[in-house]
Amino acid sequence: MEENKLMNLNDKKWKEFHFSSFVNSIDRGKVKDLSKIDVGETAVIAAAGANEGISTFANCNKKYKNAMTISLNGVGTGTAFVHNYSFNLNSDCGVVITGSKMSIDVLRFFQCCINMHKNKFSYGYKANETRLKRQIILLPVKDNNEPDFEYMEHYIKEIKFKKKEEYVKFCKNKLDELGKEVSILPLNKIEWKEFFVTDIFNKPMRGKRIISANYIDGDKPVVSSAGGNNGVIAFVGNKYKIREYENCLSVANGGVSAGFAFYHPYKFIATDHITHFKGQQLNKYHYLFLGTVIRNQMHTKYDFSREMTDPRLQREKIIIPITKEGNPDYSYMEQYIKNIMIRKYSEYLSYLERD
């Protein structure tokens, strides 16, 4: 595909339309009680505000494809996603039935327009069919003031083209950096041994409390005990009364994400809900391996009623691979992670280069 040169969004003529001008209905899903459905291959869209709304993959009918859904409940209420794969949905979500057939890229443009207004919805004012259909959205128009669907489609295609080029280049650079995959023993064929956390890491240290009311606009990530987005909950410009770390793990102290460990190669501000783990001899591959070990061993051990504290960490042990001499096998850990990354980047590249 050749790159298209389209008119800048700011130079394009826009006009207000009611969403109902393009929508026949927003039909709620009918998949019930996700906890009782067997695992399968069909994506089930629910009230999630991330991961394209996918809640689980279940053994149920594939009812829709190439369609837009909008969350009607939860923290993601009012959030739209477009799905170019087969899916079904539960009653916390609605599928948009358009009046005329729209291409997947035109739907993606509409998705962006709808999501510009999602912050108006909340638990106390949930999105529903009536409220969404009377929502006013801005769309680019032609000289006759009709929606310029061709422009919308080409605009999204151009973005996809550029992003694909960037990511192909990124994958190739990463594969050059990682080198060739090396054959190593599987995890269940090597020796493992317990070590105190303090044998592997320096003395773990908690972050410092910082409340959202004190945030200053900026671009430095704040890491807390969130279970997604590498624990990042905000970006701020605070410089004083903070604890800042870099090139280490953050580990959630308690709550539903207790024990979740994320690697941060960048500088970040740590809240008091996480503890930072740093080892002078460790590189990013070691951190990624050890982060998984920590999560697997500590997630079920700590929670709201039993937080990870400094005294407990002094006694805490983790089980890791060892050499014949009984020392931590950092070479194995590094190659194990490299092999995974090589396979994943190769898969991504193969997928991207199919078109």
Side-chain angles (χ1 to χ4, degrees), residues 221-236:
V222 176
V223 175
S224 190
S225 57
N229 296 325
N230 273 21
V232 176
I233 59 169
F235 290 87
V236 304

Side-chain angles (χ1 to χ4, degrees), residues 17-276:
F17 294 89
H18 281 95
F19 192 40
S20 60
S21 301
F22 312 97
V23 175
N24 283 347
S25 63
I26 300 174
D27 298 347
R28 282 185 180 266
K30 295 183 179 179
V31 175
K32 297 179 180 178
D33 201 345
L34 297 177
S35 63
K36 295 182 180 179
I37 297 178
D38 293 334
V39 174
E41 296 182 353
T42 302
V44 178
I45 315 302
N51 298 325
E52 294 195 349
I54 296 174
S55 176
T56 188
F57 288 87
N59 184 19
C60 61
N61 293 333
K62 298 177 180 179
K63 192 168 183 180
Y64 303 100
K65 186 178 181 180
N66 294 335
M68 180 195 297
T69 60
I70 302 179
S71 174
L72 305 176
N73 198 2
V75 294
T77 183
T79 304
F81 293 106
V82 173
H83 315 274
N84 61 346
Y85 43 83
S86 299
F87 67 93
N88 210 321
L89 63 161
N90 76 351
S91 60
D92 287 330
C93 191
V95 62
V96 177
I97 308 301
T98 56
S100 58
K101 184 174 176 58
M102 293 184 184
S103 72
I104 195 75
D105 290 321
V106 170
L107 284 174
R108 292 192 192 283
F109 197 100
F110 268 78
Q111 172 194 350
C112 298
C113 296
I114 289 294
N115 286 341
M116 293 291 288
H117 303 278
K118 66 180 181 181
N119 289 336
K120 71 187 288 184
F121 299 110
S122 63
Y123 281 109
Y125 187 76
K126 295 179 181 179
N128 58 38
E129 181 173 5
T130 301
R131 289 168 178 167
L132 287 166
K133 288 177 76 172
R134 69 172 179 236
Q135 176 65 57
I136 294 175
I137 58 174
L138 279 171
L139 294 174
V141 294
K142 298 181 286 188
D143 292 338
N144 62 0
N145 285 329
E146 290 297 315
D148 194 343
F149 294 113
E150 184 178 2
Y151 175 86
M152 298 181 213
E153 179 160 7
H154 287 171
Y155 186 83
I156 295 298
K157 286 185 182 298
E158 183 180 89
I159 292 175
K160 288 163 60 178
F161 177 79
K162 288 179 179 178
K163 288 297 181 183
K164 179 179 176 180
E165 275 194 328
E166 290 173 7
Y167 198 62
V168 166
K169 182 178 179 181
F170 173 82
C171 286
K172 288 180 176 179
N173 288 341
K174 284 295 181 181
L175 287 170
D176 288 342
E177 175 188 317
L178 289 163
K180 299 291 185 182
E181 187 172 348
V182 176
S183 177
I184 56 175
L185 291 172
L187 295 175
N188 61 352
K189 298 293 184 180
I190 59 171
E191 294 294 323
W192 296 69
K193 179 181 170 183
E194 283 188 339
F195 289 87
F196 283 103
V197 164
T198 49
D199 291 336
I200 308 300
F201 301 97
N202 303 338
K203 182 181 178 181
M205 183 176 293
R206 273 190 180 232
K208 186 169 183 166
R209 175 152 297 189
I210 176 173
I211 60 175
S212 57
N214 294 334
Y215 288 170
I216 299 171
D217 288 342
D219 57 6
K220 189 165 293 182
V222 176
V223 175
S224 190
S225 57
N229 296 325
N230 273 21
V232 176
I233 59 169
F235 290 87
V236 304
N238 299 56
K239 295 182 179 179
Y240 306 105
K241 296 183 179 180
I242 60 171
R243 285 185 181 163
E244 189 175 86
Y245 303 112
E246 180 182 14
N247 192 36
C248 63
L249 293 178
S250 67
V251 183
N253 297 323
V256 294
S257 301
F260 277 35
F262 297 109
Y263 170 58
H264 308 275
Y266 42 80
K267 289 183 179 180
F268 68 95
I269 295 171
T271 73
D272 60 332
H273 294 297
I274 65 107
T275 298
H276 102 294

Side-chain angles (χ1 to χ4, degrees), residues 226-228 230 249-252 256-262 277 287-302 308 318:
N230 273 21
L249 293 178
S250 67
V251 183
V256 294
S257 301
F260 277 35
F262 297 109
F277 285 49
Y287 280 123
L288 290 169
F289 189 100
L290 293 168
T292 304
V293 169
I294 289 169
R295 174 172 174 168
N296 288 343
Q297 295 183 28
M298 296 188 188
H299 179 50
T300 56
K301 194 171 184 178
Y302 298 100
M308 191 184 300
I318 56 175

